[in-house]
């Protein structure tokens, strides 16, 4: 924009938590926010579908889906809520880790007490797999491992290491059951105040930042896994996991959370995406 547009960056919750920031973007009192897609689930029906386990075969699959008709649906739903989607950021894939044993098959979930987020989908997922879901705040996980309140949890690789969880749950299984990215949104109020040339410049810069961030995230994953292995973690690759049995039980949740034919067609289209 040749200096016409400037960003004042506030981080680490200085202005609001993610839910509050999304609310402020919707009402126009905050120009731009980067939030996890999950925060939008109460307002964007399409986001609820993204939380279904094993929906995406890989992150490449997820990016292709977001770049197609499903991404257009997300953008349309965001627009109805007063926001414009600028780009998405990689947030990794979530996998299970345990203090007891490697998780290589459906049978390995039996008897495990698994920490989950306060999400109906996740609670149902663990029960379907044969474990017991335990809802806990993120900052209570280490104490729960120490006390034996939980035997397992799940998160992306960098979080597994930076949180210190790898010191208490050394068995990390890369089943990649969930891929939900982060999203950069701008309020419609701020967006419409820009000229077409400024809108294009902002959109292009956002897309460039997404590609740059993907590389940073990929580097972080490699470094995190290397650190975990060096300090004694046992990493089970996806190819070593009997995924068909696990996925088969997990997708039984779909009929519970997909309540109309249109959403079922959307999910089937996602699964068919090459």
């Amino acid at each position: 924009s040749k200096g016409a547009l400037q960003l004042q960056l506030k981080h680490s919750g200085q202005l609001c938590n993610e839910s509050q920031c999304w609310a402020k973007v919707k009402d126009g009192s905050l120009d731009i926010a980067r939030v996890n897609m999950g925060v939008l689930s109460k307002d964007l029906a399409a986001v609820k579908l993204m939380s279904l386990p094993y929906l995406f075969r890989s992150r490449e699959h997820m990016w292709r889906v977001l770049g197609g008709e499903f991404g257009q649906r997300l953008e349309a739903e965001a627009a109805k809520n007063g926001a414009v989607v600028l780009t998405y950021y990689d947030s990794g894939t979530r996998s299970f880790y345990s203090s007891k044993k490697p998780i290589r098959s459906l049978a390995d979930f039996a008897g495990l007490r698994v920490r989950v987020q306060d999400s109906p989908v996740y609670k149902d997922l663990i029960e379907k797999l044969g474990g017991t879901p335990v809802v806990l705040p993120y900052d209570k996980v280490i104490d729960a491992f120490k006390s034996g309140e939980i035997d397992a949890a799940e998160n992306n690789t960098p979080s597994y290491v930076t949180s210190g969880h790898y010191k208490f749950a050394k068995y990390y299984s890369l089943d990649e059951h969930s891929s939900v990215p982060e999203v950069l949104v701008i309020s419609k109020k701020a967006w419409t105040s820009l000229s077409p040339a400024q809108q294009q410049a902002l959109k292009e810069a956002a897309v460039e930042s997404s590609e740059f961030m993907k590389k940073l995230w990929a580097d972080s994953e490699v470094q995190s896994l290397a650190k975990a292995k060096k300090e004694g973690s046992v990493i089970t690759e996806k190819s070593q996991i009997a995924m068909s049995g696990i996925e088969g039980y997990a997708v039984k949740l779909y009929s519970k959370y997909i309540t109309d034919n249109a959403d079922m067609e959307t999910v089937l289209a996602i699964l068919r995406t090459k």
Side-chain angles (χ1 to χ4, degrees), residues 99-124:
S99 61
K100 297 287 187 182
K101 57 187 175 182
I103 295 173
R104 298 195 180 102
S105 68
L106 181 65
D108 292 323
F109 285 95
L112 285 185
R113 292 162 293 183
V114 186
R115 180 267 171 177
V116 295
Q117 304 171 82
D118 190 8
S119 158
V121 175
Y122 271 83
K123 286 186 278 190
D124 284 348

Side-chain angles (χ1 to χ4, degrees), residues 40-112:
L40 280 58
S41 62
K42 291 182 179 178
D43 297 310
L44 277 61
V47 174
K48 295 178 183 178
L49 300 180
M50 289 193 71
S51 68
L52 292 172
Y54 304 106
L55 182 65
F56 300 110
R57 295 186 299 275
S58 64
R59 262 175 286 178
E60 291 73 24
H61 178 211
M62 180 189 74
W63 294 125
R64 287 193 292 273
V65 168
L66 288 174
E69 290 184 6
F70 184 75
Q72 294 171 9
R73 173 180 166 178
L74 282 171
E75 291 173 11
E77 291 182 3
K80 290 179 181 178
N81 282 273
V84 174
V85 173
L86 292 174
T87 194
Y88 302 97
Y89 292 123
D90 201 339
S91 189
T93 55
R94 300 177 76 96
S95 293
F96 290 105
Y97 45 92
S98 169
S99 61
K100 297 287 187 182
K101 57 187 175 182
I103 295 173
R104 298 195 180 102
S105 68
L106 181 65
D108 292 323
F109 285 95
L112 285 185

Side-chain angles (χ1 to χ4, degrees), residues 124-137:
D124 284 348
L125 171 63
I126 299 305
E127 289 179 350
K128 277 276 189 281
L129 294 176
T132 301
V134 180
V135 176
L136 281 175

